[in-house]
Amino acid sequence: MLKRLLNINISKTMNVPIQVGISENDHYHCIVYIHEGSIVNFWRDKSKSLASILVDIQNNEPLLKSKKLTIIRPVSHHYIWRKYVFLPYHYSDAMCYKKIIEILKTELPVSLDDVFFDYYLERNKSTSAIRIIIYALRKEFSKSLLTNKRTILDCELYCYLRAFHYLSTFPYDMVHKNYYKFRNYIIQFQLDKLLIQENNDALNVLTIEHINNKFKHILDTDIYLLALGACLWNGKV
């Protein structure tokens, strides 16, 4: 199996490493992890390489010293190919995987060898169907983002979604009915598609104004939320 987009080189037999979310803009890296429910964040300018920044932080941060880190990095949704598929409930995991490979080979605009891919599978007994979301990202683009062997690449929209619900009181079980404002877009995470529209007057749009957080000492709210949502990665959509 190819390396998977959202779960690259993670050994299931090793001790669970500390999850660290990293995002960036033109000037800063934002590095976030959570310890006993408290958000710990660092801001470092980009005069140093990310690798050297992480070494410095680990050497000087007692909670991270000598720990294994899983790095989760947001990727722009523009670079991720995705497809939603519904299969019969009786399909085994092997049958689902075979179908996923067929879809990737048929519908990707590039060779399967040129991408990392992943998928999210959810069985719903009430609808007698299996819901699958397939993702693919070009290897050429992703290589520069693979910080270490335990790097996970995640769509920025899901990072934002997790951060929003972590900091707000809105129930996550309504996620598929909500509208979220992310930068200049309105996003809806529907069960059968990801709806991305230009900013409009959609009703009940959730924005960062709905988050009960004053963002003190935050240099850039967008990349802070992305790094926070990244460190909350749980492999689910």
Side-chain angles (χ1 to χ4, degrees), residues 2-203:
L2 297 176
K3 293 179 182 177
R4 293 173 60 186
L5 170 60
L6 304 185
N7 191 8
I8 297 173
N9 281 344
I10 297 179
S11 170
K12 294 182 179 180
T13 60
M14 66 188 298
N15 292 329
V16 178
I18 294 176
Q19 292 195 171
V20 176
I22 301 176
S23 61
E24 62 186 286
N25 60 17
D26 291 338
H27 307 289
Y28 300 101
H29 283 109
C30 179
I31 299 150
V32 175
Y33 72 97
I34 293 177
H35 176 69
E36 295 182 350
S38 296
I39 301 169
V40 183
N41 67 90
F42 304 90
W43 296 86
R44 297 291 185 269
D45 68 57
K46 299 178 83 170
S47 59
K48 284 187 174 181
S49 71
L50 179 57
S52 64
I53 289 171
L54 288 174
V55 170
D56 288 344
I57 289 176
Q58 275 199 281
N59 288 338
N60 293 287
E61 181 69 12
L63 295 173
L64 297 181
K65 199 164 189 176
S66 302
K67 299 288 186 180
K68 293 178 179 178
L69 304 183
T70 292
I71 304 298
I72 303 98
R73 303 187 67 177
V75 177
S76 170
H77 68 277
H78 296 290
Y79 295 106
I80 299 174
W81 179 93
R82 64 179 59 79
K83 186 176 181 66
Y84 289 64
V85 180
F86 290 84
L87 297 177
Y89 190 81
H90 69 270
Y91 270 38
S92 66
D93 287 350
M95 293 168 70
C96 290
Y97 182 74
K98 182 179 179 181
K99 185 64 177 178
I100 288 165
I101 296 300
E102 289 175 1
I103 291 170
L104 288 167
K105 287 181 176 180
T106 302
E107 300 193 22
L108 276 180
V110 296
S111 168
L112 190 55
D113 292 332
D114 294 331
V115 300
F116 292 128
F117 72 90
D118 198 5
Y119 58 91
Y120 172 75
L121 186 152
E122 181 181 62
R123 294 178 180 272
N124 190 325
K125 197 174 269 189
S126 63
T127 61
S128 299
I130 301 172
R131 174 176 171 258
I132 300 175
I133 312 174
I134 309 170
Y135 308 91
L137 178 69
R138 285 179 183 263
K139 289 180 180 178
E140 183 179 359
F141 171 80
S142 60
K143 283 179 181 177
S144 64
L145 298 174
L146 302 183
T147 311
N148 65 15
K149 291 183 178 181
R150 293 175 300 278
T151 298
I152 295 169
L153 305 181
D154 194 15
C155 177
E156 62 182 0
L157 301 181
Y158 295 116
C159 292
Y160 178 82
L161 179 68
R162 287 192 294 270
F164 179 92
H165 282 279
Y166 187 82
L167 296 174
S168 76
T169 58
F170 288 86
Y172 193 84
D173 58 6
M174 296 294 290
V175 64
H176 298 303
K177 297 182 179 179
N178 294 335
Y179 290 91
Y180 300 83
K181 182 176 180 182
F182 176 74
R183 294 176 176 157
N184 294 321
Y185 298 98
I186 302 298
I187 313 296
Q188 190 179 33
F189 300 86
Q190 297 180 359
L191 287 170
D192 60 346
K193 62 183 174 181
L194 178 62
L195 184 64
I196 304 174
Q197 332 176 37
E198 294 294 331
N199 202 351
N200 61 27
D201 297 324
L203 297 176

